[in-house]
């Protein structure tokens, strides 16, 4: 159903309308191969993460709170759900272990909000694999571009961009997959902006609410697209108006709307999506690499007097402070957002994967002892958020000083993970969730061949 004249037909095109016009015009044939490849890699990564977390208590609790049955799949679970429920559960599962993608240059998760919403819509409405893939690409590009408009400012206002930007990205992806015309897709942005939410108070004690944000954004975006399809009237000036989205969620910003207008279809922001080698806060990764290198050099934990890290100011309030609390995180989940803990556990275990962030590991005496010897200084020349780098200056008890630098994040633009790396991660995550190799291979093949699927009915095979 076309939006009515009351939505502003005949008036000057707004930012939401022009951006929607670009997204609604996307076709799989017109999307460059690198962008298509990123979307499929993200789908594979996301599916593996659904399996990795399928038995975790928080996922089971979210699943138990879904009280509507339907034709849609929460990957790795036998219970069939309505579309909103499936979007919620899959979004929580993908992001729950903090092992999902991020965007380099303007940090935000991307696939965890878009993929669940579009898969649910495709399953519910019998969409083809091609329609589904175009929707995923549209939603991911929308998330990436929208997050650049006021990068960093939502965190300063205590909002989590995943829940805020994510609702709009999910709406865009769902709306494009459903074939909404531009005017209705613009309304979806206006509707989703009133559904956006997510505060970062979880940082205080490692609460689980962060895990909800992408799932809530996914189901909200799905609902927004359906409302927009019906012709529901929403603000045309949701981005530039006097009471607009960015004024509400990023009040300290001077929004740069060029990201919604320039280079559309030529410069694909989603090609900057990063796939994570470690299951913790993205900006910690280069520091983890530094401490792993230190251990590989043969230095022992008991020989270390102190470790001082040069860091960007933007990392401090989420990953370093309050320092005493970061030195002794209260849970395995809170430990994922502690720079000292992540560095210390990786030093001893050579990794920072799923096994390193259990509640039991968060109490490891040896790890905590080293974490307490790790501190930071702010480097005014640090490139964050344009680039994630790491540095450690280690003073040994014999007076020797050792330094290590990691110039960029592995998995990002400078050193991307290969397709083989992502597939290996997928199989490891599937095994962690208790799936057999043949089961995992079937899901991998389905994801990799998404664009050729006649519909999404085959997704139901993965309800177990």
């Amino acid at each position: 159903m076309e939006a009515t004249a009351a939505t502003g037909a005949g008036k000057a095109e707004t930012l939401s309308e022009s951006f929607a016009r670009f997204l609604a015009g996307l076709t799989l044939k017109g999307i460059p191969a690198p962008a298509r490849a990123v979307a499929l890699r993200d789908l594979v990564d996301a599916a593996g993460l659904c399996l990795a977390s399928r038995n975790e208590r928080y996922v089971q609790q979210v699943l138990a709170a879904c009280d509507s049955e339907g034709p849609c799949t929460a990957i790795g679970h036998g219970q069939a759900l309505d579309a909103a429920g499936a979007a919620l559960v899959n979004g929580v599962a993908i992001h729950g272990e903090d092992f999902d993608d991020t965007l380099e240059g303007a940090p935000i998760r991307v696939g965890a909000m878009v993929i669940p919403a579009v898969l649910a819509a495709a399953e519910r409405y019998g969409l083809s694999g091609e329609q589904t893939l175009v929707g995923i690409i549209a939603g991911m590009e929308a998330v990436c571009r929208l997050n650049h408009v006021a990068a960093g400012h939502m965190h300063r206002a205590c909002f989590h961009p995943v829940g805020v930007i994510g609702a709009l990205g999910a709406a865009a992806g769902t709306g494009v997959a459903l074939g909404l015309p531009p005017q209705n897709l613009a309304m979806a942005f206006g509707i989703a902006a009133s559904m956006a939410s997510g505060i970062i108070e979880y940082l205080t004690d490692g609460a689980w609410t962060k895990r909800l944000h992408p799932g809530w954004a996914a189901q909200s975006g799905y609902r927004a697209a359906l409302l927009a399809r019906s012709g529901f009237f929403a603000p045309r000036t949701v981005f530039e108006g006097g009471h607009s989205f960015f004024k509400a969620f990023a009040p300290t910003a001077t929004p740069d709307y060029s990201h919604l207008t320039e280079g559309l279809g030529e410069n694909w922001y989603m090609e900057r999506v990063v796939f994570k080698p470690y299951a913790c806060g993205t900006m910690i990764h280069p520091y983890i690499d530094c401490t792993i290198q230190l251990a590989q050099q043969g230095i022992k934990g008991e020989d270390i007097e102190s470790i001082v890290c040069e860091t960007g100011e933007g990392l401090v309030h989420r990953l370093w402070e309050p320092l005493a609390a970061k030195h002794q995180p209260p849970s395995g989940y809170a430990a994922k957002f502690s720079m000292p803990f992540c560095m210390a556990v990786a030093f001893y275990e050579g990794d920072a994967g799923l096994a390193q962030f259990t509640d039991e590991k968060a109490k490891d005496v040896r790890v905590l002892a080293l974490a307490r010897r790790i501190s930071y200084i702010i480097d005014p020349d640090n490139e964050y958020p344009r680039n994630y780098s790491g540095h450690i200056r280690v003073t040994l008890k014999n007076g020797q000083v050792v330094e290590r630098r990691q110039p960029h994040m592995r998995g990002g633009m400078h050193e991307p993970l290969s397709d083989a790396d992502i597939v290996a991660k997928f199989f490891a995550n599937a095994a962690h969730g208790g799936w057999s190799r043949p089961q995992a291979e079937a899901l991998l093949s389905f994801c990799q061949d998404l664009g050729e699927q006649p519909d999404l009915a085959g997704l139901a095979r993965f309800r177990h």
Side-chain angles (χ1 to χ4, degrees):
M1 178 179 177
E2 288 277 354
T4 66
T7 62
K11 296 182 181 179
E13 192 174 57
T14 66
L15 285 167
S16 65
E17 290 168 342
S18 63
F19 193 39
R21 179 165 47 81
F22 159 69
L23 294 169
L26 291 174
T27 63
L28 192 59
K29 189 175 181 179
I31 296 168
R36 296 198 303 269
V38 168
L40 290 174
R41 284 197 291 270
D42 215 327
L43 178 62
V44 168
D45 196 47
L49 292 165
C50 285
L51 299 180
S53 60
R54 62 190 287 267
N55 297 317
E56 297 296 330
R57 186 158 58 118
Y58 62 89
V59 172
Q60 295 295 327
Q61 289 171 334
V62 172
L63 187 64
C66 294
D67 58 0
S68 296
E69 296 182 358
C72 298
T73 301
I75 296 172
H77 302 280
Q79 181 179 345
L81 301 170
D82 68 352
L88 173 63
V89 174
N90 285 331
V92 171
I94 291 166
H95 181 59
E97 294 305 303
D98 226 74
F99 211 180
D100 53 320
D101 72 24
T102 191
L103 177 64
E104 199 158 14
I108 190 173
R109 306 311 168 93
V110 183
M113 304 85 80
V114 173
I115 290 171
V118 177
L119 290 182
E123 226 179 344
R124 168 67 178 82
Y125 292 101
L127 306 183
S128 70
E130 181 172 334
Q131 290 172 297
T132 306
L133 183 54
V134 173
I136 289 172
I137 292 168
M140 290 179 65
E141 184 68 6
V143 168
C144 295
R145 284 182 170 271
L146 284 164
N147 198 54
H148 274 79
V149 171
H153 288 270
M154 288 185 181
H155 275 122
R156 292 176 196 169
C158 299
F159 289 111
H160 189 199
V162 163
V164 178
I165 298 286
L168 277 67
T174 303
V176 169
L178 290 171
L180 267 61
Q183 193 67 43
N184 295 73
L185 191 60
M187 291 296 106
F189 283 130
I191 296 165
S194 281
M195 298 178 169
S197 64
I199 62 171
I200 60 174
E201 179 59 18
Y202 61 82
L203 288 167
T204 298
D205 54 8
W208 292 358
T209 48
K210 179 178 186 284
R211 289 168 156 153
L212 288 174
H213 294 169
W216 193 256
Q219 66 90 35
S220 296
Y222 168 79
R223 293 288 193 199
L226 294 189
L227 284 165
R229 186 173 67 163
S230 76
F232 194 92
F233 183 29
R236 301 172 59 242
T237 53
V238 66
F239 296 135
E240 68 267 45
H243 308 283
S244 63
F245 179 78
F246 290 102
K247 284 192 176 183
F249 291 108
T252 61
T254 301
D256 181 359
Y257 293 118
S258 67
H259 296 288
L260 304 183
T261 60
E262 296 181 5
L264 298 174
E266 299 174 0
N267 180 9
W268 288 82
Y269 285 32
M270 63 180 289
E271 292 179 18
R272 306 174 201 170
V273 165
V274 174
F275 296 97
K276 297 172 73 170
Y278 303 126
C280 60
T282 311
M283 289 75 77
I284 306 174
H285 289 209
Y287 296 87
I288 289 172
D289 285 336
C290 289
T291 54
I292 289 176
Q293 293 165 17
L294 189 70
Q296 290 171 343
Q297 186 180 339
I299 292 173
K300 306 298 182 185
E302 56 268 26
D303 297 331
I304 297 173
E305 180 69 30
S306 66
I307 299 178
V308 179
C309 308
E310 294 176 0
T311 192
E313 186 174 7
L315 281 63
V316 171
H317 79 285
R318 282 176 283 158
L319 303 176
W320 281 110
E321 291 291 352
L323 189 57
K326 297 297 185 182
H327 281 157
Q328 190 161 353
S331 67
Y333 186 57
K336 291 173 178 285
F337 314 107
S338 162
M339 186 78 79
F341 181 91
C342 292
M343 294 168 65
V345 76
F347 174 85
Y348 282 116
E349 303 203 2
D351 197 5
L354 297 173
Q356 280 69 50
F357 294 102
T358 63
D359 288 347
E360 181 181 3
K361 193 72 68 176
K363 299 174 184 175
D364 188 301
V365 174
R366 184 177 63 160
V367 171
L368 293 175
L370 179 57
R372 284 192 290 270
R373 284 174 264 157
I374 298 175
S375 61
Y376 71 94
I377 57 172
I378 293 175
D379 173 15
D381 297 322
N382 188 280
E383 295 178 304
Y384 175 82
R386 294 187 307 278
N387 180 43
Y388 311 151
S389 59
H391 164 269
I392 60 174
R393 186 175 190 272
V394 185
T395 301
L396 303 180
K397 290 181 179 177
N398 64 7
Q400 182 184 357
V401 176
V402 179
E403 289 196 70
R404 287 286 176 271
R405 291 188 183 273
Q406 175 64 23
H408 53 256
M409 176 189 171
R410 290 188 306 109
M413 291 184 291
H414 299 286
E415 193 178 343
L417 298 186
S418 67
D419 287 343
D421 291 331
I422 292 170
V423 167
K425 178 183 173 184
F426 169 86
F427 281 124
N429 283 331
H432 182 86
W435 267 32
S436 70
R437 181 77 178 208
Q439 289 174 315
E441 286 174 347
L443 178 56
L444 175 65
S445 178
F446 182 88
C447 293
Q448 290 176 328
D449 297 336
L450 177 67
E452 285 75 51
Q453 303 290 343
D455 54 45
L456 271 287
L459 197 58
R461 288 186 290 144
F462 308 112
R463 295 179 193 165
H464 51 77

